[in-house]
């Protein structure tokens, strides 16, 4: 009878999960065996539990076995799963096995010990395995934590957000603390799955789970690479932890200023002036095809030599010339010109104060006009003043 029971369990396992790799049968052992590491379990009323089963075939040809569970009390919900799905039959290969799960949902008013019988029946095999279910109201605290997506990719400017399921497998309500530890200067925080309020703990009812969001922001100067953050939860004497990974890709970061950091220059109205500009890349990836552009008051002209920098490695700088020509009609005074550098979504800009003076030719011309006017005035006074 014991051999038949093991055979039935083995059939159930074959129907509900992929067949295990075939191996030689132990000497003197032949048949279908249905097995469970823990055929007697204790759970809390109103909770759900699963019992792992294995359906083993030693030395027999493959045969489809019908699966069933007998002895299910009223109000209970019992099902057999294989590969995460409900199954009704299994076929373990010769000298192979399949894995199954017996899922048990019990009502909140369940109190009496019950016995469920898992059966596997085929043309030449009929085996069964009893599973004893007992109840306890005060089970020790138990927590579990599982990230939906444990690996995320982004740039140093990204905010990495991990959705994490936190479950209270205890028989009582718990206030679960939340903590995370990452590399130096990495910022971490928690919010509810669909909220914005930051959390340090979260209440979870017995047997229930809640989604929380672990937000991780790396420092802007972090180098490209993979970084691990450990999330820990705890309540009373129970704790659990999980790890998530940030795959940080490099990103350029541009800077722009005048030579030596100077943001001012002088120019003459109507004449081209060359202003030395330093473009730097302080990011963690090369900046390719850096385009230079500028804007200035109406009538002004701004060009660059060269107009494009083919590439800037991390930590590298390059000097270019901004060629600025104020309008011929510009009057003396201070003006502002905006100069920019950009590449693939990254850009930098700086405002330059440009002091404009008018040409000395116009000054001499003006003095000459004034002198001629004075001479004409003096001559007129001398001529008409005698009358």
């Amino acid at each position: 009878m014991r051999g038949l029971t093991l055979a039935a369990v083995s059939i159930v396992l074959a129907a509900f999960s992929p067949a295990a790799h075939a191996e030689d049968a132990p000497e003197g052992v032949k048949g279908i065996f249905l097995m469970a590491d823990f055929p007697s379990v204790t759970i809390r009323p109103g909770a759900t539990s699963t019992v792992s089963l294995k359906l083993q075939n030693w030395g027999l040809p493959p045969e489809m076995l019908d699966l069933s569970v007998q002895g299910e009390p009223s109000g209970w919900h019992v099902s057999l799963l294989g590969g995460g799905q409900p199954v009704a039959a299994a076929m373990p290969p010769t000298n192979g096995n399949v894995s199954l799960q017996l899922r048990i949902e019990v009502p909140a008013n369940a109190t009496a010990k019950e016995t469920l019988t898992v059966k596997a029946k085929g043309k030449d095999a009929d085996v069964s395995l009893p599973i004893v279910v007992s109840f306890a109201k005060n089970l020790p605290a138990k927590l579990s934590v599982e990230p939906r997506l444990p690996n995320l990719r982004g740039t140093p400017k990204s905010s990495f957000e991990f959705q994490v399921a936190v479950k209270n497998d205890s028989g009582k309500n718990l206030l679960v603390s939340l903590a995370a530890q990452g590399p130096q200067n990495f910022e971490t925080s928690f919010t509810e799955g669909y909220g914005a309020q930051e959390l340090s703990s979260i209440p979870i009812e017995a047997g229930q789970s809640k989604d929380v969001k672990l937000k991780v922001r790396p420092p802007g100067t972090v180098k490209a690479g993979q970084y691990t953050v450990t999330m820990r939860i705890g309540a009373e004497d129970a704790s659990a932890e999980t790890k998530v990974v940030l795959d940080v890709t490099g990103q350029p970061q541009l800077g722009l200023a005048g030579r030596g950091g100077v943001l001012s220059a002088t120019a003459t109205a109507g004449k081209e002036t060359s202003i030395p500009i330093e473009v730097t890349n302080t990011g963690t990836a090369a900046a390719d095809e850096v385009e230079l552009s500028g804007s200035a008051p109406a009538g002004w002209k701004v060009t660059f030599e060269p107009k494009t920098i083919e590439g800037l490695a991390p930590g590298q700088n390059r000097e270019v010339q901004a060629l600025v020509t104020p309008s011929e009609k510009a009057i003396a005074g201070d003006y502002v010109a905006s100069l920019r550098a950009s590449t693939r979504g990254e850009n930098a800009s700086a405002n330059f104060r440009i002091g404009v003076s008018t040409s000395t030719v116009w000054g001499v011309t003006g003095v000459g006009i004034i002198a001629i006017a004075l001479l004409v005035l003096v001559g007129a006074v001398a001529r008409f003043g005698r009358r």
Side-chain angles (χ1 to χ4, degrees):
M1 180 65 181
R2 182 177 179 182
L4 290 176
T5 300
L6 290 175
V9 174
S10 300
I11 294 174
V12 175
L13 290 172
F16 289 95
S17 61
H21 180 69
E23 57 184 50
D24 294 337
E27 184 177 356
V29 177
K30 187 174 184 179
I32 301 295
F33 300 90
L34 184 59
M35 297 170 284
D37 290 338
F38 305 102
S40 180
V41 296
T42 300
I43 62 178
R44 179 181 57 83
T48 299
S49 183
T50 57
V51 179
S52 297
L53 309 174
K54 184 168 74 171
L55 187 59
Q56 179 72 51
N57 177 359
W58 289 125
L60 296 179
E63 177 185 5
M64 187 172 74
L65 304 170
D66 294 326
L67 304 172
S68 62
V69 180
Q70 297 180 354
E72 178 180 340
S74 176
W76 289 38
H77 298 282
V78 179
S79 56
L80 282 169
L81 306 177
Q85 302 294 327
V87 292
M91 183 182 290
T94 301
N95 294 334
N97 62 71
V98 292
S99 296
L100 302 171
Q101 287 183 321
L102 176 64
R103 189 171 188 270
I104 307 169
E105 298 180 49
V106 300
N109 59 358
T111 56
K113 179 187 295 186
E114 301 286 354
T115 300
L116 304 172
T117 302
V118 180
K119 296 183 66 68
K121 184 176 181 181
K123 181 179 179 180
D124 300 319
D126 186 358
V127 294
S128 62
L129 175 67
I131 302 295
V132 179
V133 182
S134 303
F135 298 96
K137 292 186 177 180
N138 295 317
L139 296 176
K142 182 181 178 182
L143 299 171
S144 63
V145 56
E146 182 178 0
R148 307 294 188 193
L149 296 172
N151 292 67
L152 294 179
R153 173 177 292 183
T155 69
K157 292 185 177 181
S158 301
S159 178
F160 295 79
E161 298 184 353
F162 297 89
Q163 292 284 351
V164 184
V166 179
K167 186 175 182 181
N168 175 12
D169 291 316
S170 307
K172 55 184 175 180
N173 300 343
L174 294 175
L175 180 64
V176 181
S177 63
L178 308 171
Q181 182 177 1
Q184 187 175 7
N185 297 326
F186 278 58
E187 297 179 2
T188 62
S189 62
F190 292 95
T191 64
E192 286 196 88
Y194 299 98
Q197 182 64 45
E198 292 191 6
L199 306 172
S200 59
S201 61
I202 187 170
I204 304 178
E205 295 181 356
Q208 301 299 310
S209 66
K210 284 188 177 181
D211 284 346
V212 298
K213 186 182 297 182
L214 168 60
K215 294 183 178 181
V216 184
R217 183 178 292 278
T221 56
V222 68
K223 295 182 178 180
Q226 291 191 336
Y227 299 86
T228 300
V229 174
T230 302
M231 174 181 172
R232 296 184 177 88
I233 61 173
E236 297 184 356
D237 58 347
S239 63
E241 70 174 42
T242 189
K243 297 182 184 296
V244 295
V245 177
L246 289 72
D247 187 0
V248 180
T249 58
Q251 180 173 342
Q253 185 171 350
L254 298 178
L256 185 149
R259 181 187 293 169
V262 176
L263 296 176
S264 63
T266 59
T268 301
K271 291 188 176 182
E272 182 179 271
T273 298
S274 179
I275 304 174
I277 302 297
E278 292 183 351
V279 181
T280 60
N281 177 14
T282 58
T284 56
D288 299 322
E289 300 296 324
V290 180
E291 297 286 341
L292 299 166
S293 61
S295 59
W300 287 45
K301 182 180 178 181
V302 179
T303 60
F304 292 87
E305 182 60 42
K307 179 177 175 53
T308 302
I309 302 174
E310 292 185 359
L312 278 177
Q316 186 180 13
N317 65 75
R318 173 80 179 275
E319 184 174 286
V320 300
Q321 299 298 317
L323 307 178
V324 179
T325 306
S327 170
E328 292 182 355
K329 298 179 180 180
I331 62 175
D334 290 338
Y335 297 81
V336 175
S338 180
L339 307 183
R340 294 178 294 276
S342 60
T343 176
R344 299 182 182 179
E346 176 66 25
N347 58 77
S349 64
N351 291 327
F352 281 73
R353 182 180 63 82
I354 300 179
V356 175
S357 61
T358 56
S359 173
T360 55
V361 173
W362 287 107
V364 171
T365 302
V367 171
I369 292 174
I370 294 172
I372 293 172
L374 287 175
L375 289 175
V376 172
L377 179 61
V378 170
V381 171
R383 179 177 180 179
F384 299 103
R386 297 176 182 174
R387 299 180 182 180

